[in-house]
Amino acid sequence: MPASVWIPLSFHPGYVAAAGAAAAKNPIILGNISMAKKPTSPDKTKAAAKPAKPTAPAKKPAAAAPSPAPVIPAAPTQETLPLEPAPVEVVATETPVEAVVPAAPEVVAAIAEPVPAEPETAAVVVEPVAAEPEAVTAVVETVPVEPEAAVVEPEAAEIVAEPVPAAPPLIDPEPEGEPAEPQSTHVEEPLPDQEPVEVHLEEPEVHHHHRPSLFIVQIAPEMAPVAKVGGLADVVFGLTRELAIRGNHVEIILPKYSGMRYDHIYDLKEVYKDLWVPWYDGAIHCTVYFGFVYDRKCFFIEPHSNDNFFNRGSIYGFKDDVLRYAFFSRAAIEFLWKSGKHPDIIHCHDWQTALVPVFLYEFYQRLGMTHPRVCLTIHNFQHQGVTGAELLKATGLHDPARFFDYNRLRDNQHPNALNLLKGGIVYSNFVTTVSPRYAYETKDQGQGFGLEPTLHTHHLKYGGVVNGIDYDVWNPEVDRHIPAQYGVDTIERKYDDKRALRHRLMLADNAKPIVAFIGRLDPQKGLDLVRHAIFYSLQRDAQFVLLGSSPYQGINEDFWNLKRMLNESPDCHLEIGFDEELSHLIYAGADMILVPSRFEPCGLTQLIALRYGTVPVVRSVGGLADTVFDKDYSHRALHERNGYVFENYDGTGLESALGRAISCYYEYPDHFRELMKNGMRSDNSWNHPGRDYLNIYDYIREK
Ligand code: ADP
């Protein structure tokens, strides 16, 4: 094994999340990928831990003197916004289906075969949540299925029937005793091509650096800027470029949404006319398109059925979301197989594509797709794709006993439901989430929304990689959305952008710092603390700018009310909506960015802010804890300290950090400027994460 390759020695219990430092000493340990273990030395804001002295300076502040204690006036008590994160949604419900769960020993034997994870892992896949053997031998479960979730109404089957395929069936035969459902709402599959058809537009380029080039396929529900809902879209966009720059052949498979930003797709053309994707007892006819999105090679799958899977007003938010993405996952892998593509790595993202490894190892491996290995990245554990037994009928996973098993897809919390994300974890060769701290929080700190036992079972193949940001998009030296470009040596020009921001939002031009919040107005983001911070900032002689929007009407209304309440203030502006261009001006023009999240898998806003010399004030959770290091209390070297951090989710915690930031701005401007520059100098590009993902790919290829 070459020295540059990560070896599973790092899984040793002694290996802790802060692998970065160890990696510097030991080249065989992967840089920023850390297994989900408790961090050894988290940056603690002692001020927050001891609310009685919220602004107490560090005992040994070294060269950076802590900001002096400000006088903290009590913030006005405001009616609070929703606090609790929304529960994981269960999308489908209740049609009885019999699920006979086999006894545990057989389960272990069975799972060792299809799941190509580490042999050690496969041998111990019995999860803590599994029922007692005697209790599971003959359980008959009522499985939830929502009638509306059925894919097609009978009258919807208008596609011309075609002959049954002569090729090996892609769908397992119905198990004995399983009622043969008359699901004839879809047409049958036509004779598929006898030989897989090659549709490579070009041969993968081979770059002979010190490591072999890989053929990597990303299968994702979103990619910026053509179809973006959240950070996942940015990750797919940024990571694919980095992997390609490093000499790999990268292709991306996406749904062809009717509402995509087609103006960002170059040279879109049909490349595969008749892709028939098995679905229920028949198949759905699809067309595959190819186009470039800023040099990225993208395939877009368009199904032709009355389900209109991707032909809707928005990307998510429909009753049949689970079935829509189960179909997309099946279509993506069917396309790989039919077109003769055998990537080294298939990289899937979130629950929407988590069935891909299930399909690969349940169906396609025995059809000859023995080569690919699968990496699954989980961007947020809150959404898992929890559904009922209808999924099995739709996808051809026709063995309820096999799949309604705690070792495979059975949901840990809802015994009558299946969980797509869980299936992805079980079947993938490696699972990542988007920061080492979030990996630890999800496995060991109760942040896994019910998947904690599954993560424990599979901990040997679970780790965290902090996202990067795209330095082509986020670069104050060349950013065309801001009037004054600047870099670390011309940082004073940032104040021209501050003036421009004030002008645009009609804020007073005074000596005050600007505190900003940019993000989805979701309870996850700590909205009650955002609200608290607005009033606190105004009292502390700072200005406040908010840019955000919410899919929840109630939350939007709360913020509209707040906006009306503060309308007269010359020091506050709330912009409720989504505005990418304005976000650039805020990142450039603000002095501080606030991220007080309840939980934050990675967080991109603080990374972008660092790049723009805007000092982050964050809560110490998830990726925020891994990327922002407190000016006064971090154990890091002075030049690595880049912001303010608080721990407790309450007003006192928030004030302890934001108060120090505002005091430093006024009283120690030189120190504040150093913080700004430290952030600008740090590398939060895709450089490190790109290398880390390649190490993971190499690792699962060589196993
Ligand atoms: P999440 O993925 O949870 O939404 P992230 O911090 O990972 O949060 O990513 C948020 C991204 O979306 C950032 O690039 C941020 O600038 C952008 N963003 C969020 N809300 C808005 C908005 N209202 N207008 C413009 N950009 C926004």
Side-chain angles (χ1 to χ4, degrees), residues 228-232 234-235 379-380 467 469 474 517-521 524-525 547-549 575-584 587 595 600-606 608:
K228 170 171 168 172
V229 174
L232 186 165
D234 296 312
V235 169
H379 299 257
N380 193 328
N467 289 335
I469 52 168
W474 302 108
F517 172 88
I518 300 175
R520 289 182 297 121
L521 298 179
Q524 173 198 333
K525 300 291 176 185
L547 171 62
S549 64
E575 185 73 25
I576 297 158
F578 191 94
D579 188 337
E580 183 100 29
E581 193 203 341
L582 176 60
S583 78
H584 284 249
Y587 284 119
V595 198
E600 193 59 74
C602 177
L604 297 178
T605 48
Q606 84 281 10
I608 300 169

mmCIF file of all heavy atoms in Angstrom, residues 228-232 234-235 379-380 467 469 474 517-521 524-525 547-549 575-584 587 595 600-606 608, ligand 1:
data_model
loop_
_atom_site.group_PDB
_atom_site.id
_atom_site.type_symbol
_atom_site.label_atom_id
_atom_site.label_comp_id
_atom_site.label_asym_id
_atom_site.label_seq_id
_atom_site.Cartn_x
_atom_site.Cartn_y
_atom_site.Cartn_z
ATOM 1 N N LYS A 228 -30.499 24.146 -7.071
ATOM 2 C CA LYS A 228 -29.935 24.315 -5.729
ATOM 3 C C LYS A 228 -31.019 24.595 -4.699
ATOM 4 O O LYS A 228 -31.862 25.448 -4.894
ATOM 5 C CB LYS A 228 -28.922 25.467 -5.738
ATOM 6 C CG LYS A 228 -28.465 25.872 -4.334
ATOM 7 C CD LYS A 228 -27.314 26.839 -4.322
ATOM 8 C CE LYS A 228 -27.131 27.414 -2.920
ATOM 9 N NZ LYS A 228 -25.938 28.211 -2.754
ATOM 10 N N VAL A 229 -30.970 23.826 -3.619
ATOM 11 C CA VAL A 229 -31.809 24.130 -2.473
ATOM 12 C C VAL A 229 -30.927 24.523 -1.296
ATOM 13 O O VAL A 229 -31.174 25.507 -0.608
ATOM 14 C CB VAL A 229 -32.711 22.935 -2.096
ATOM 15 C CG1 VAL A 229 -33.465 23.213 -0.810
ATOM 16 C CG2 VAL A 229 -33.692 22.653 -3.221
ATOM 17 N N GLY A 230 -29.855 23.760 -1.070
ATOM 18 C CA GLY A 230 -28.994 24.058 0.074
ATOM 19 C C GLY A 230 -27.535 23.765 -0.218
ATOM 20 O O GLY A 230 -27.120 23.673 -1.387
ATOM 21 N N GLY A 231 -26.782 23.597 0.860
ATOM 22 C CA GLY A 231 -25.333 23.417 0.761
ATOM 23 C C GLY A 231 -24.920 22.202 -0.069
ATOM 24 O O GLY A 231 -23.866 22.213 -0.698
ATOM 25 N N LEU A 232 -25.765 21.153 -0.084
ATOM 26 C CA LEU A 232 -25.455 19.957 -0.877
ATOM 27 C C LEU A 232 -25.135 20.340 -2.334
ATOM 28 O O LEU A 232 -24.203 19.808 -2.932
ATOM 29 C CB LEU A 232 -26.658 19.021 -0.820
ATOM 30 C CG LEU A 232 -26.632 17.619 -1.424
ATOM 31 C CD1 LEU A 232 -27.799 16.819 -0.913
ATOM 32 C CD2 LEU A 232 -26.609 17.582 -2.918
ATOM 33 N N ASP A 234 -23.907 23.081 -3.508
ATOM 34 C CA ASP A 234 -22.585 23.704 -3.608
ATOM 35 C C ASP A 234 -21.480 22.659 -3.483
ATOM 36 O O ASP A 234 -20.444 22.750 -4.138
ATOM 37 C CB ASP A 234 -22.415 24.752 -2.498
ATOM 38 C CG ASP A 234 -23.392 25.902 -2.659
ATOM 39 O OD1 ASP A 234 -23.500 26.435 -3.774
ATOM 40 O OD2 ASP A 234 -24.071 26.245 -1.676
ATOM 41 N N VAL A 235 -21.720 21.672 -2.634
ATOM 42 C CA VAL A 235 -20.708 20.636 -2.428
ATOM 43 C C VAL A 235 -20.501 19.845 -3.720
ATOM 44 O O VAL A 235 -19.360 19.613 -4.148
ATOM 45 C CB VAL A 235 -21.122 19.698 -1.275
ATOM 46 C CG1 VAL A 235 -20.240 18.466 -1.217
ATOM 47 C CG2 VAL A 235 -21.072 20.449 0.052
ATOM 48 N N HIS A 379 -25.392 14.981 4.317
ATOM 49 C CA HIS A 379 -25.244 16.421 4.534
ATOM 50 C C HIS A 379 -26.065 16.907 5.711
ATOM 51 O O HIS A 379 -25.840 18.006 6.211
ATOM 52 C CB HIS A 379 -25.630 17.175 3.249
ATOM 53 C CG HIS A 379 -24.755 16.813 2.081
ATOM 54 N ND1 HIS A 379 -23.751 17.622 1.612
ATOM 55 C CD2 HIS A 379 -24.711 15.705 1.308
ATOM 56 C CE1 HIS A 379 -23.138 17.040 0.593
ATOM 57 N NE2 HIS A 379 -23.703 15.866 0.388
ATOM 58 N N ASN A 380 -27.062 16.125 6.101
ATOM 59 C CA ASN A 380 -27.908 16.517 7.228
ATOM 60 C C ASN A 380 -28.720 15.288 7.631
ATOM 61 O O ASN A 380 -29.371 14.677 6.791
ATOM 62 C CB ASN A 380 -28.854 17.654 6.790
ATOM 63 C CG ASN A 380 -29.536 18.315 7.964
ATOM 64 O OD1 ASN A 380 -29.824 17.674 8.979
ATOM 65 N ND2 ASN A 380 -29.804 19.609 7.838
ATOM 66 N N ASN A 467 -16.555 20.437 4.450
ATOM 67 C CA ASN A 467 -16.745 20.950 3.091
ATOM 68 C C ASN A 467 -15.774 22.074 2.777
ATOM 69 O O ASN A 467 -15.315 22.785 3.664
ATOM 70 C CB ASN A 467 -18.155 21.522 2.930
ATOM 71 C CG ASN A 467 -19.214 20.441 2.921
ATOM 72 O OD1 ASN A 467 -18.941 19.290 2.578
ATOM 73 N ND2 ASN A 467 -20.422 20.824 3.294
ATOM 74 N N ILE A 469 -15.295 25.599 0.091
ATOM 75 C CA ILE A 469 -16.120 26.515 -0.700
ATOM 76 C C ILE A 469 -15.405 26.754 -2.023
ATOM 77 O O ILE A 469 -14.186 26.589 -2.126
ATOM 78 C CB ILE A 469 -16.389 27.858 0.023
ATOM 79 C CG1 ILE A 469 -15.090 28.508 0.500
ATOM 80 C CG2 ILE A 469 -17.365 27.655 1.160
ATOM 81 C CD1 ILE A 469 -15.270 29.937 0.950
ATOM 82 N N TRP A 474 -16.398 32.442 -4.644
ATOM 83 C CA TRP A 474 -16.255 33.260 -3.440
ATOM 84 C C TRP A 474 -14.831 33.780 -3.343
ATOM 85 O O TRP A 474 -13.967 33.152 -2.742
ATOM 86 C CB TRP A 474 -16.635 32.442 -2.196
ATOM 87 C CG TRP A 474 -18.030 31.899 -2.256
ATOM 88 C CD1 TRP A 474 -18.396 30.610 -2.443
ATOM 89 C CD2 TRP A 474 -19.248 32.648 -2.136
ATOM 90 N NE1 TRP A 474 -19.764 30.507 -2.443
ATOM 91 C CE2 TRP A 474 -20.312 31.735 -2.255
ATOM 92 C CE3 TRP A 474 -19.543 34.013 -1.940
ATOM 93 C CZ2 TRP A 474 -21.655 32.131 -2.195
ATOM 94 C CZ3 TRP A 474 -20.874 34.388 -1.883
ATOM 95 C CH2 TRP A 474 -21.903 33.462 -2.003
ATOM 96 N N PHE A 517 -26.522 38.201 9.351
ATOM 97 C CA PHE A 517 -26.955 36.804 9.338
ATOM 98 C C PHE A 517 -27.441 36.494 7.928
ATOM 99 O O PHE A 517 -28.250 37.235 7.366
ATOM 100 C CB PHE A 517 -28.094 36.555 10.339
ATOM 101 C CG PHE A 517 -28.690 35.175 10.213
ATOM 102 C CD1 PHE A 517 -28.150 34.113 10.917
ATOM 103 C CD2 PHE A 517 -29.772 34.940 9.363
ATOM 104 C CE1 PHE A 517 -28.675 32.825 10.776
ATOM 105 C CE2 PHE A 517 -30.301 33.654 9.219
ATOM 106 C CZ PHE A 517 -29.749 32.604 9.934
ATOM 107 N N ILE A 518 -26.929 35.400 7.343
ATOM 108 C CA ILE A 518 -27.407 34.941 6.030
ATOM 109 C C ILE A 518 -27.745 33.471 6.163
ATOM 110 O O ILE A 518 -26.895 32.682 6.594
ATOM 111 C CB ILE A 518 -26.317 35.099 4.939
ATOM 112 C CG1 ILE A 518 -25.902 36.560 4.789
ATOM 113 C CG2 ILE A 518 -26.805 34.531 3.604
ATOM 114 C CD1 ILE A 518 -24.750 36.785 3.811
ATOM 115 N N GLY A 519 -28.949 33.089 5.803
ATOM 116 C CA GLY A 519 -29.249 31.662 5.871
ATOM 117 C C GLY A 519 -30.720 31.360 5.754
ATOM 118 O O GLY A 519 -31.563 32.262 5.757
ATOM 119 N N ARG A 520 -31.003 30.064 5.642
ATOM 120 C CA ARG A 520 -32.391 29.627 5.651
ATOM 121 C C ARG A 520 -32.988 29.954 7.008
ATOM 122 O O ARG A 520 -32.329 29.767 8.037
ATOM 123 C CB ARG A 520 -32.469 28.110 5.426
ATOM 124 C CG ARG A 520 -32.117 27.662 4.028
ATOM 125 C CD ARG A 520 -32.262 26.149 3.891
ATOM 126 N NE ARG A 520 -31.338 25.437 4.768
ATOM 127 C CZ ARG A 520 -31.701 24.578 5.705
ATOM 128 N NH1 ARG A 520 -32.977 24.317 5.897
ATOM 129 N NH2 ARG A 520 -30.801 23.962 6.455
ATOM 130 N N LEU A 521 -34.205 30.447 7.020
ATOM 131 C CA LEU A 521 -34.853 30.733 8.297
ATOM 132 C C LEU A 521 -35.520 29.439 8.775
ATOM 133 O O LEU A 521 -36.730 29.257 8.663
ATOM 134 C CB LEU A 521 -35.859 31.880 8.134
ATOM 135 C CG LEU A 521 -35.227 33.211 7.691
ATOM 136 C CD1 LEU A 521 -36.296 34.281 7.520
ATOM 137 C CD2 LEU A 521 -34.165 33.670 8.688
ATOM 138 N N GLN A 524 -33.369 25.051 12.779
ATOM 139 C CA GLN A 524 -31.989 24.559 12.898
ATOM 140 C C GLN A 524 -30.987 25.704 13.063
ATOM 141 O O GLN A 524 -29.951 25.563 13.720
ATOM 142 C CB GLN A 524 -31.638 23.744 11.643
ATOM 143 C CG GLN A 524 -30.177 23.310 11.566
ATOM 144 C CD GLN A 524 -29.750 22.898 10.162
ATOM 145 O OE1 GLN A 524 -30.554 22.458 9.359
ATOM 146 N NE2 GLN A 524 -28.457 23.031 9.866
ATOM 147 N N LYS A 525 -31.282 26.831 12.452
ATOM 148 C CA LYS A 525 -30.292 27.921 12.396
ATOM 149 C C LYS A 525 -30.281 28.776 13.664
ATOM 150 O O LYS A 525 -29.561 29.768 13.739
ATOM 151 C CB LYS A 525 -30.560 28.807 11.171
ATOM 152 C CG LYS A 525 -30.468 28.059 9.852
ATOM 153 C CD LYS A 525 -29.048 27.639 9.526
ATOM 154 C CE LYS A 525 -28.971 26.808 8.247
ATOM 155 N NZ LYS A 525 -27.628 26.284 7.973
ATOM 156 N N LEU A 547 -30.342 38.412 5.864
ATOM 157 C CA LEU A 547 -30.847 37.953 4.571
ATOM 158 C C LEU A 547 -31.271 36.497 4.746
ATOM 159 O O LEU A 547 -30.430 35.639 5.042
ATOM 160 C CB LEU A 547 -29.753 38.052 3.495
ATOM 161 C CG LEU A 547 -30.074 37.396 2.146
ATOM 162 C CD1 LEU A 547 -31.280 38.035 1.473
ATOM 163 C CD2 LEU A 547 -28.854 37.464 1.210
ATOM 164 N N GLY A 548 -32.544 36.229 4.576
ATOM 165 C CA GLY A 548 -32.980 34.849 4.771
ATOM 166 C C GLY A 548 -34.405 34.641 4.322
ATOM 167 O O GLY A 548 -35.174 35.597 4.186
ATOM 168 N N SER A 549 -34.720 33.376 4.090
ATOM 169 C CA SER A 549 -36.106 33.060 3.758
ATOM 170 C C SER A 549 -36.408 31.668 4.273
ATOM 171 O O SER A 549 -35.503 30.887 4.556
ATOM 172 C CB SER A 549 -36.337 33.130 2.254
ATOM 173 O OG SER A 549 -35.564 32.144 1.625
ATOM 174 N N GLU A 575 -33.822 41.541 5.172
ATOM 175 C CA GLU A 575 -34.221 41.264 3.789
ATOM 176 C C GLU A 575 -34.747 39.839 3.750
ATOM 177 O O GLU A 575 -33.977 38.879 3.915
ATOM 178 C CB GLU A 575 -32.999 41.424 2.869
ATOM 179 C CG GLU A 575 -33.289 41.286 1.394
ATOM 180 C CD GLU A 575 -34.036 42.492 0.822
ATOM 181 O OE1 GLU A 575 -33.930 43.603 1.384
ATOM 182 O OE2 GLU A 575 -34.752 42.299 -0.182
ATOM 183 N N ILE A 576 -36.048 39.694 3.546
ATOM 184 C CA ILE A 576 -36.629 38.357 3.596
ATOM 185 C C ILE A 576 -36.832 37.862 2.179
ATOM 186 O O ILE A 576 -37.688 38.334 1.438
ATOM 187 C CB ILE A 576 -37.938 38.377 4.413
ATOM 188 C CG1 ILE A 576 -37.568 38.785 5.842
ATOM 189 C CG2 ILE A 576 -38.614 37.011 4.412
ATOM 190 C CD1 ILE A 576 -38.671 39.351 6.647
ATOM 191 N N GLY A 577 -35.978 36.938 1.790
ATOM 192 C CA GLY A 577 -35.998 36.417 0.429
ATOM 193 C C GLY A 577 -34.676 35.740 0.142
ATOM 194 O O GLY A 577 -33.804 35.678 1.018
ATOM 195 N N PHE A 578 -34.543 35.189 -1.057
ATOM 196 C CA PHE A 578 -33.283 34.549 -1.447
ATOM 197 C C PHE A 578 -32.634 35.414 -2.517
ATOM 198 O O PHE A 578 -33.226 35.696 -3.545
ATOM 199 C CB PHE A 578 -33.544 33.132 -1.987
ATOM 200 C CG PHE A 578 -32.284 32.337 -2.164
ATOM 201 C CD1 PHE A 578 -31.841 31.485 -1.166
ATOM 202 C CD2 PHE A 578 -31.517 32.466 -3.315
ATOM 203 C CE1 PHE A 578 -30.659 30.770 -1.315
ATOM 204 C CE2 PHE A 578 -30.337 31.752 -3.472
ATOM 205 C CZ PHE A 578 -29.915 30.902 -2.464
ATOM 206 N N ASP A 579 -31.427 35.897 -2.265
ATOM 207 C CA ASP A 579 -30.779 36.810 -3.200
ATOM 208 C C ASP A 579 -29.267 36.577 -3.174
ATOM 209 O O ASP A 579 -28.538 37.099 -2.334
ATOM 210 C CB ASP A 579 -31.104 38.255 -2.786
ATOM 211 C CG ASP A 579 -30.633 39.263 -3.828
ATOM 212 O OD1 ASP A 579 -29.712 38.941 -4.602
ATOM 213 O OD2 ASP A 579 -31.198 40.380 -3.850
ATOM 214 N N GLU A 580 -28.847 35.748 -4.113
ATOM 215 C CA GLU A 580 -27.432 35.342 -4.170
ATOM 216 C C GLU A 580 -26.506 36.556 -4.315
ATOM 217 O O GLU A 580 -25.482 36.671 -3.639
ATOM 218 C CB GLU A 580 -27.256 34.398 -5.366
ATOM 219 C CG GLU A 580 -25.869 33.836 -5.537
ATOM 220 C CD GLU A 580 -25.756 32.412 -4.998
ATOM 221 O OE1 GLU A 580 -26.764 31.693 -5.009
ATOM 222 O OE2 GLU A 580 -24.656 32.052 -4.562
ATOM 223 N N GLU A 581 -26.901 37.483 -5.168
ATOM 224 C CA GLU A 581 -26.039 38.630 -5.440
ATOM 225 C C GLU A 581 -25.897 39.511 -4.194
ATOM 226 O O GLU A 581 -24.789 39.919 -3.823
ATOM 227 C CB GLU A 581 -26.643 39.418 -6.597
ATOM 228 C CG GLU A 581 -25.694 40.422 -7.160
ATOM 229 C CD GLU A 581 -26.433 41.544 -7.889
ATOM 230 O OE1 GLU A 581 -27.608 41.347 -8.259
ATOM 231 O OE2 GLU A 581 -25.823 42.600 -8.051
ATOM 232 N N LEU A 582 -27.006 39.764 -3.546
ATOM 233 C CA LEU A 582 -26.955 40.566 -2.317
ATOM 234 C C LEU A 582 -26.109 39.860 -1.256
ATOM 235 O O LEU A 582 -25.394 40.506 -0.484
ATOM 236 C CB LEU A 582 -28.376 40.818 -1.786
ATOM 237 C CG LEU A 582 -28.475 41.573 -0.453
ATOM 238 C CD1 LEU A 582 -27.832 42.967 -0.546
ATOM 239 C CD2 LEU A 582 -29.933 41.696 0.003
ATOM 240 N N SER A 583 -26.164 38.528 -1.267
ATOM 241 C CA SER A 583 -25.370 37.807 -0.261
ATOM 242 C C SER A 583 -23.882 38.122 -0.441
ATOM 243 O O SER A 583 -23.157 38.288 0.539
ATOM 244 C CB SER A 583 -25.643 36.298 -0.316
ATOM 245 O OG SER A 583 -24.962 35.672 -1.376
ATOM 246 N N HIS A 584 -23.431 38.261 -1.671
ATOM 247 C CA HIS A 584 -22.014 38.609 -1.894
ATOM 248 C C HIS A 584 -21.691 39.966 -1.265
ATOM 249 O O HIS A 584 -20.649 40.138 -0.622
ATOM 250 C CB HIS A 584 -21.698 38.655 -3.395
ATOM 251 C CG HIS A 584 -21.567 37.307 -4.026
ATOM 252 N ND1 HIS A 584 -20.374 36.799 -4.488
ATOM 253 C CD2 HIS A 584 -22.488 36.351 -4.265
ATOM 254 C CE1 HIS A 584 -20.564 35.588 -4.993
ATOM 255 N NE2 HIS A 584 -21.844 35.303 -4.878
ATOM 256 N N TYR A 587 -21.567 39.580 2.530
ATOM 257 C CA TYR A 587 -20.321 38.945 2.992
ATOM 258 C C TYR A 587 -19.165 39.949 2.935
ATOM 259 O O TYR A 587 -18.304 39.975 3.811
ATOM 260 C CB TYR A 587 -19.974 37.727 2.128
ATOM 261 C CG TYR A 587 -20.818 36.498 2.408
ATOM 262 C CD1 TYR A 587 -21.618 35.925 1.421
ATOM 263 C CD2 TYR A 587 -20.809 35.901 3.664
ATOM 264 C CE1 TYR A 587 -22.388 34.800 1.673
ATOM 265 C CE2 TYR A 587 -21.578 34.771 3.936
ATOM 266 C CZ TYR A 587 -22.366 34.230 2.935
ATOM 267 O OH TYR A 587 -23.131 33.115 3.201
ATOM 268 N N VAL A 595 -23.610 32.968 13.262
ATOM 269 C CA VAL A 595 -24.159 31.640 12.961
ATOM 270 C C VAL A 595 -24.436 30.931 14.292
ATOM 271 O O VAL A 595 -23.615 30.171 14.785
ATOM 272 C CB VAL A 595 -23.194 30.793 12.089
ATOM 273 C CG1 VAL A 595 -23.953 29.635 11.430
ATOM 274 C CG2 VAL A 595 -22.488 31.623 11.037
ATOM 275 N N GLU A 600 -25.376 22.200 13.227
ATOM 276 C CA GLU A 600 -24.878 22.660 11.929
ATOM 277 C C GLU A 600 -23.913 21.617 11.372
ATOM 278 O O GLU A 600 -22.770 21.524 11.810
ATOM 279 C CB GLU A 600 -24.160 24.005 12.095
ATOM 280 C CG GLU A 600 -23.881 24.722 10.789
ATOM 281 C CD GLU A 600 -25.147 25.021 10.000
ATOM 282 O OE1 GLU A 600 -25.910 25.931 10.394
ATOM 283 O OE2 GLU A 600 -25.379 24.318 9.009
ATOM 284 N N PRO A 601 -24.384 20.794 10.431
ATOM 285 C CA PRO A 601 -23.517 19.729 9.912
ATOM 286 C C PRO A 601 -22.148 20.250 9.469
ATOM 287 O O PRO A 601 -21.125 19.735 9.868
ATOM 288 C CB PRO A 601 -24.321 19.175 8.737
ATOM 289 C CG PRO A 601 -25.753 19.438 9.117
ATOM 290 C CD PRO A 601 -25.736 20.737 9.864
ATOM 291 N N CYS A 602 -22.147 21.270 8.637
ATOM 292 C CA CYS A 602 -20.877 21.899 8.276
ATOM 293 C C CYS A 602 -21.021 23.413 8.374
ATOM 294 O O CYS A 602 -20.364 24.067 9.150
ATOM 295 C CB CYS A 602 -20.428 21.497 6.865
ATOM 296 S SG CYS A 602 -18.900 22.334 6.388
ATOM 297 N N GLY A 603 -21.927 23.944 7.566
ATOM 298 C CA GLY A 603 -22.078 25.395 7.506
ATOM 299 C C GLY A 603 -21.139 25.958 6.461
ATOM 300 O O GLY A 603 -19.927 25.697 6.487
ATOM 301 N N LEU A 604 -21.704 26.687 5.513
ATOM 302 C CA LEU A 604 -20.872 27.328 4.500
ATOM 303 C C LEU A 604 -20.730 28.814 4.774
ATOM 304 O O LEU A 604 -19.736 29.430 4.385
ATOM 305 C CB LEU A 604 -21.492 27.125 3.105
ATOM 306 C CG LEU A 604 -21.580 25.673 2.625
ATOM 307 C CD1 LEU A 604 -22.258 25.600 1.269
ATOM 308 C CD2 LEU A 604 -20.195 25.049 2.557
ATOM 309 N N THR A 605 -21.712 29.392 5.461
ATOM 310 C CA THR A 605 -21.678 30.855 5.606
ATOM 311 C C THR A 605 -20.436 31.318 6.369
ATOM 312 O O THR A 605 -19.831 32.321 6.005
ATOM 313 C CB THR A 605 -22.949 31.363 6.319
ATOM 314 O OG1 THR A 605 -23.178 30.576 7.469
ATOM 315 C CG2 THR A 605 -24.151 31.293 5.429
ATOM 316 N N GLN A 606 -20.037 30.572 7.401
ATOM 317 C CA GLN A 606 -18.857 31.013 8.140
ATOM 318 C C GLN A 606 -17.597 30.864 7.283
ATOM 319 O O GLN A 606 -16.662 31.652 7.402
ATOM 320 C CB GLN A 606 -18.735 30.271 9.481
ATOM 321 C CG GLN A 606 -18.063 28.915 9.451
ATOM 322 C CD GLN A 606 -18.980 27.805 8.953
ATOM 323 O OE1 GLN A 606 -20.074 28.055 8.456
ATOM 324 N NE2 GLN A 606 -18.527 26.569 9.060
ATOM 325 N N ILE A 608 -17.463 31.159 3.959
ATOM 326 C CA ILE A 608 -17.465 32.264 2.989
ATOM 327 C C ILE A 608 -17.058 33.554 3.701
ATOM 328 O O ILE A 608 -16.244 34.341 3.198
ATOM 329 C CB ILE A 608 -18.858 32.414 2.340
ATOM 330 C CG1 ILE A 608 -19.251 31.128 1.607
ATOM 331 C CG2 ILE A 608 -18.882 33.604 1.389
ATOM 332 C CD1 ILE A 608 -20.703 31.078 1.151
HETATM 333 P P1 ADP B 1 -27.735 24.953 4.612
HETATM 334 O O1 ADP B 1 -27.163 23.974 3.645
HETATM 335 O O2 ADP B 1 -28.160 24.363 5.918
HETATM 336 O O3 ADP B 1 -28.795 25.813 4.021
HETATM 337 P P2 ADP B 1 -25.129 26.186 4.541
HETATM 338 O O4 ADP B 1 -24.500 27.202 5.429
HETATM 339 O O5 ADP B 1 -24.416 24.880 4.379
HETATM 340 O O6 ADP B 1 -26.603 25.985 5.054
HETATM 341 O O7 ADP B 1 -25.313 26.792 3.070
HETATM 342 C C1 ADP B 1 -26.073 27.933 2.861
HETATM 343 C C2 ADP B 1 -25.721 28.539 1.527
HETATM 344 O O8 ADP B 1 -26.870 29.182 0.992
HETATM 345 C C3 ADP B 1 -24.660 29.625 1.617
HETATM 346 O O9 ADP B 1 -23.966 29.657 0.390
HETATM 347 C C4 ADP B 1 -25.479 30.901 1.806
HETATM 348 O O10 ADP B 1 -24.789 32.056 1.357
HETATM 349 C C5 ADP B 1 -26.665 30.596 0.916
HETATM 350 N N1 ADP B 1 -27.908 31.251 1.344
HETATM 351 C C6 ADP B 1 -28.721 30.877 2.364
HETATM 352 N N2 ADP B 1 -29.792 31.688 2.447
HETATM 353 C C7 ADP B 1 -29.662 32.601 1.459
HETATM 354 C C8 ADP B 1 -30.469 33.702 1.019
HETATM 355 N N3 ADP B 1 -31.605 34.013 1.605
HETATM 356 N N4 ADP B 1 -30.023 34.401 -0.053
HETATM 357 C C9 ADP B 1 -28.861 34.082 -0.654
HETATM 358 N N5 ADP B 1 -28.076 33.057 -0.292
HETATM 359 C C10 ADP B 1 -28.465 32.319 0.759
#
